[in-house]
Amino acid sequence: MDDQYSESISLPDILNIRNISEIYQSMTLKFRDSKMLVLEVADDAEADLSFVQLVESARAEAKASGKTLRLSSPASGSVLKVLQRGGFIEAFTAEDAQFWLHKEVHS
């Protein structure tokens, strides 16, 4: 039963509008029967804003259904650049920083 609890998914090296619907379908399929999904993003993955939007949407959906979404490692490379250029990092809550950057949340 424990293997049903957590799933991980290795995402493709291209994370953009052209394949975002495939990524969405893969995530949805993996998440259906598990409580936690870990996204494995390559350091050199090419990402655009659609990927960040998909992940933010998936985080909200997971939280609403009592599930957890995680990144296997902190955002780096083009994912980090998209977060910086999009103004996300300045607007991060402690929870956002924990998710995207793996920064510890201190209360």
Side-chain angles (χ1 to χ4, degrees):
M1 259 312 171
D2 278 354
D3 56 348
Q4 293 295 302
Y5 180 75
S6 177
E7 284 278 348
S8 66
I9 183 170
S10 288
L11 296 175
D13 289 344
I14 304 294
L15 306 166
N16 65 25
I17 193 75
R18 288 186 197 89
N19 67 348
I20 207 70
S21 63
E22 292 166 36
I23 296 167
Y24 169 75
Q25 288 173 335
S26 299
M27 286 172 59
T28 303
L29 214 57
K30 287 271 193 181
F31 227 161
R32 191 178 313 166
D33 300 319
S34 61
K35 291 277 185 207
M36 180 165 69
L37 181 62
V38 179
L39 302 178
E40 297 173 4
V41 181
D43 289 342
D44 61 349
E46 281 301 316
D48 71 4
L49 188 57
S50 66
F51 175 69
V52 172
Q53 290 171 321
L54 171 65
V55 172
E56 283 298 305
S57 173
R59 280 180 67 203
E61 203 172 306
K63 192 173 185 177
S65 56
K67 296 185 177 194
T68 304
L69 186 66
R70 292 221 162 94
L71 291 179
S72 62
S73 56
S76 62
S78 81
V79 174
L80 186 58
K81 284 189 181 92
V82 169
L83 291 169
Q84 290 166 332
R85 278 197 312 262
F88 289 92
I89 291 176
E90 294 81 45
F92 272 177
T93 63
E95 192 177 332
D96 296 333
Q98 168 65 36
F99 177 82
W100 286 105
L101 307 175
H102 292 199
K103 299 228 190 272
E104 286 307 309
V105 179
H106 299 288
S107 48

